[in-house]
mmCIF file of all heavy atoms in Angstrom:
data_model
loop_
_atom_site.group_PDB
_atom_site.id
_atom_site.type_symbol
_atom_site.label_atom_id
_atom_site.label_comp_id
_atom_site.label_asym_id
_atom_site.label_seq_id
_atom_site.Cartn_x
_atom_site.Cartn_y
_atom_site.Cartn_z
ATOM 1 N N VAL A 175 18.378 -35.106 -22.514
ATOM 2 C CA VAL A 175 17.200 -35.561 -23.258
ATOM 3 C C VAL A 175 17.599 -36.583 -24.317
ATOM 4 O O VAL A 175 16.905 -37.588 -24.533
ATOM 5 C CB VAL A 175 16.479 -34.348 -23.892
ATOM 6 C CG1 VAL A 175 15.323 -34.809 -24.768
ATOM 7 C CG2 VAL A 175 15.970 -33.410 -22.811
ATOM 8 N N GLY A 181 14.080 -37.105 -29.258
ATOM 9 C CA GLY A 181 14.484 -36.655 -30.581
ATOM 10 C C GLY A 181 14.548 -35.142 -30.667
ATOM 11 O O GLY A 181 14.533 -34.413 -29.670
ATOM 12 N N ARG A 182 14.625 -34.649 -31.916
ATOM 13 C CA ARG A 182 14.784 -33.218 -32.145
ATOM 14 C C ARG A 182 13.585 -32.420 -31.654
ATOM 15 O O ARG A 182 13.734 -31.371 -31.031
ATOM 16 C CB ARG A 182 15.016 -32.979 -33.633
ATOM 17 C CG ARG A 182 15.228 -31.534 -34.016
ATOM 18 C CD ARG A 182 15.575 -31.412 -35.478
ATOM 19 N NE ARG A 182 16.794 -32.164 -35.785
ATOM 20 C CZ ARG A 182 17.292 -32.293 -37.028
ATOM 21 N NH1 ARG A 182 16.656 -31.731 -38.048
ATOM 22 N NH2 ARG A 182 18.403 -32.977 -37.223
ATOM 23 N N TRP A 183 12.368 -32.893 -31.926
ATOM 24 C CA TRP A 183 11.171 -32.160 -31.512
ATOM 25 C C TRP A 183 10.984 -32.213 -30.002
ATOM 26 O O TRP A 183 10.475 -31.258 -29.396
ATOM 27 C CB TRP A 183 9.935 -32.719 -32.221
ATOM 28 C CG TRP A 183 9.938 -32.448 -33.686
ATOM 29 C CD1 TRP A 183 10.193 -33.337 -34.693
ATOM 30 C CD2 TRP A 183 9.692 -31.189 -34.317
ATOM 31 N NE1 TRP A 183 10.126 -32.717 -35.905
ATOM 32 C CE2 TRP A 183 9.813 -31.399 -35.715
ATOM 33 C CE3 TRP A 183 9.385 -29.916 -33.847
ATOM 34 C CZ2 TRP A 183 9.626 -30.373 -36.636
ATOM 35 C CZ3 TRP A 183 9.200 -28.896 -34.764
ATOM 36 C CH2 TRP A 183 9.322 -29.117 -36.141
ATOM 37 N N ARG A 184 11.404 -33.328 -29.406
ATOM 38 C CA ARG A 184 11.333 -33.428 -27.952
ATOM 39 C C ARG A 184 12.275 -32.422 -27.302
ATOM 40 O O ARG A 184 11.932 -31.794 -26.288
ATOM 41 C CB ARG A 184 11.702 -34.853 -27.525
ATOM 42 C CG ARG A 184 11.604 -35.095 -26.034
ATOM 43 C CD ARG A 184 10.182 -35.040 -25.547
ATOM 44 N NE ARG A 184 10.086 -35.364 -24.145
ATOM 45 C CZ ARG A 184 8.948 -35.342 -23.458
ATOM 46 N NH1 ARG A 184 7.819 -34.986 -24.058
ATOM 47 N NH2 ARG A 184 8.920 -35.672 -22.182
ATOM 48 N N ILE A 185 13.449 -32.266 -27.863
ATOM 49 C CA ILE A 185 14.404 -31.291 -27.335
ATOM 50 C C ILE A 185 13.857 -29.875 -27.499
ATOM 51 O O ILE A 185 13.979 -29.038 -26.596
ATOM 52 C CB ILE A 185 15.759 -31.452 -28.048
ATOM 53 C CG1 ILE A 185 16.387 -32.795 -27.684
ATOM 54 C CG2 ILE A 185 16.689 -30.297 -27.714
ATOM 55 C CD1 ILE A 185 17.641 -33.101 -28.469
ATOM 56 N N LEU A 186 13.234 -29.617 -28.639
ATOM 57 C CA LEU A 186 12.683 -28.285 -28.883
ATOM 58 C C LEU A 186 11.581 -27.944 -27.889
ATOM 59 O O LEU A 186 11.529 -26.828 -27.351
ATOM 60 C CB LEU A 186 12.140 -28.204 -30.308
ATOM 61 C CG LEU A 186 11.552 -26.865 -30.743
ATOM 62 C CD1 LEU A 186 12.630 -25.792 -30.760
ATOM 63 C CD2 LEU A 186 10.894 -26.985 -32.109
ATOM 64 N N GLY A 187 10.693 -28.912 -27.621
ATOM 65 C CA GLY A 187 9.571 -28.641 -26.737
ATOM 66 C C GLY A 187 9.897 -28.722 -25.265
ATOM 67 O O GLY A 187 9.235 -28.065 -24.451
ATOM 68 N N SER A 188 10.915 -29.516 -24.902
ATOM 69 C CA SER A 188 11.225 -29.728 -23.485
ATOM 70 C C SER A 188 12.406 -28.920 -22.988
ATOM 71 O O SER A 188 12.525 -28.678 -21.780
ATOM 72 C CB SER A 188 11.490 -31.219 -23.221
ATOM 73 O OG SER A 188 10.377 -32.005 -23.576
ATOM 74 N N VAL A 189 13.289 -28.506 -23.880
ATOM 75 C CA VAL A 189 14.510 -27.821 -23.458
ATOM 76 C C VAL A 189 14.606 -26.422 -24.054
ATOM 77 O O VAL A 189 14.739 -25.424 -23.327
ATOM 78 C CB VAL A 189 15.756 -28.652 -23.849
ATOM 79 C CG1 VAL A 189 17.025 -27.885 -23.528
ATOM 80 C CG2 VAL A 189 15.746 -29.992 -23.137
ATOM 81 N N VAL A 190 14.529 -26.329 -25.376
ATOM 82 C CA VAL A 190 14.841 -25.070 -26.053
ATOM 83 C C VAL A 190 13.816 -23.991 -25.729
ATOM 84 O O VAL A 190 14.164 -22.908 -25.227
ATOM 85 C CB VAL A 190 14.944 -25.302 -27.571
ATOM 86 C CG1 VAL A 190 15.176 -23.971 -28.287
ATOM 87 C CG2 VAL A 190 16.076 -26.262 -27.887
ATOM 88 N N LEU A 191 12.546 -24.256 -26.003
ATOM 89 C CA LEU A 191 11.531 -23.222 -25.796
ATOM 90 C C LEU A 191 11.326 -22.877 -24.318
ATOM 91 O O LEU A 191 11.298 -21.690 -23.964
ATOM 92 C CB LEU A 191 10.212 -23.654 -26.445
ATOM 93 C CG LEU A 191 10.226 -23.688 -27.980
ATOM 94 C CD1 LEU A 191 8.876 -24.140 -28.513
ATOM 95 C CD2 LEU A 191 10.592 -22.324 -28.551
ATOM 96 N N PRO A 192 11.188 -23.872 -23.409
ATOM 97 C CA PRO A 192 11.056 -23.482 -21.993
ATOM 98 C C PRO A 192 12.281 -22.755 -21.457
ATOM 99 O O PRO A 192 12.158 -21.783 -20.702
ATOM 100 C CB PRO A 192 10.843 -24.827 -21.278
ATOM 101 C CG PRO A 192 10.330 -25.741 -22.322
ATOM 102 C CD PRO A 192 11.008 -25.323 -23.586
ATOM 103 N N GLY A 193 13.464 -23.186 -21.839
ATOM 104 C CA GLY A 193 14.662 -22.542 -21.332
ATOM 105 C C GLY A 193 14.868 -21.133 -21.872
ATOM 106 O O GLY A 193 15.446 -20.281 -21.203
#
Side-chain angles (χ1 to χ4, degrees):
V175 175
R182 181 175 301 176
W183 292 105
R184 183 68 176 178
I185 293 173
L186 181 64
S188 301
V189 175
V190 176
L191 291 180

